[in-house]
Amino acid sequence: MTRVAITALTFGALAVAMALGVSWLVVSPPGERWEPAVNSLALLAGITGIFAERWASQREQRNQALDSIRLEMARNRETLDGEAFNATGSRARRVYPRLVQSAVDTALSSGSLSPHRDADLIDLLHRWRTAVASVNRRLELTEMLVFTSPSDEKAEQFHAALHSATSFFQGVRTLLDETQAYVSSR
């Protein structure tokens, strides 16, 4: 409420000052129009400067959010392409690295993305966020199962399921490809 009141008061005062400046310019004698003209131009610069500063600030926040998401996607790519998720890697019991989503969470919660301009990106990031949470949760459950099992059979089964053509992880990789391509195009 305070912010709205301050904004209304600021723009109201600027609008009244601008109207008075233009009126002063119109009614002043022809040889004395420099001062009202300068006053009106200064007010116009102030009004446009407020909007330009807000636009530049929003654009900078959006660019920072996209840069952070790009870095996070590259980090997740390294994780999925790493030795732990390699089909020819060790089949022994292990703790798998987790995917990260902090930049995506921050971008979605900070309001740095425009709901109108970035609607497709926001939808894609929500899908990615859900996939990351699911991957990390599945890894937790699988690790508990594998480490509490007396035989190595569960680890072998998980390794086979992880690298099958229809595995959940293949869908996650596809979604990561799609998300990276989309974010890189922005």
Side-chain angles (χ1 to χ4, degrees):
M1 183 65 184
T2 304
R3 184 177 177 176
V4 173
I6 290 171
T7 302
L9 185 63
T10 301
F11 283 106
L14 286 172
V16 169
M18 185 70 181
L20 291 174
V22 170
S23 299
W24 184 18
L25 180 66
V26 170
V27 297
S28 62
E32 299 175 9
R33 291 191 172 162
W34 286 106
E35 188 175 350
V38 168
N39 180 46
S40 298
L41 288 174
L43 288 169
L44 183 63
I47 292 170
T48 56
I50 290 171
F51 289 111
E53 192 280 332
R54 287 184 179 184
W55 176 81
S57 175
Q58 288 173 346
R59 186 166 182 86
E60 186 177 316
Q61 287 176 353
R62 181 179 182 273
N63 288 340
Q64 288 176 346
L66 290 177
D67 287 344
S68 296
I69 291 170
R70 281 186 202 103
L71 290 173
E72 188 171 273
M73 294 291 164
R75 165 83 165 74
N76 285 328
R77 167 72 58 204
E78 289 175 11
T79 299
L80 289 177
D81 291 345
E83 190 269 333
F85 293 100
N86 190 334
T88 59
S90 170
R91 295 175 177 243
R93 297 174 190 183
R94 69 179 330 150
V95 175
Y96 287 86
R98 302 299 196 255
L99 299 179
V100 291
Q101 63 182 22
S102 59
V104 171
D105 285 347
T106 302
L108 291 174
S109 65
S110 68
S112 57
L113 301 176
S114 167
H116 302 291
R117 180 179 172 193
D118 299 315
D120 293 338
L121 177 60
I122 290 171
D123 180 56
L124 193 59
L125 292 177
H126 277 292
R127 287 187 5 224
W128 172 249
R129 187 178 181 280
T130 301
V132 168
S134 182
V135 164
N136 291 340
R137 183 73 182 143
R138 287 173 189 226
L139 288 174
E140 285 176 20
L141 294 173
T142 302
E143 289 166 356
M144 275 196 277
L145 177 67
V146 167
F147 280 104
T148 56
S149 175
S151 73
D152 289 335
E153 182 183 345
K154 295 290 183 194
E156 285 286 332
Q157 289 175 348
F158 177 68
H159 189 80
L162 183 66
H163 299 292
S164 75
T166 59
S167 80
F168 176 74
F169 282 89
Q170 298 305 325
V172 170
R173 288 176 192 270
T174 303
L175 184 57
L176 178 60
D177 292 341
E178 183 181 349
T179 306
Q180 271 190 307
Y182 193 92
V183 171
S184 295
S185 70
R186 298 292 160 166

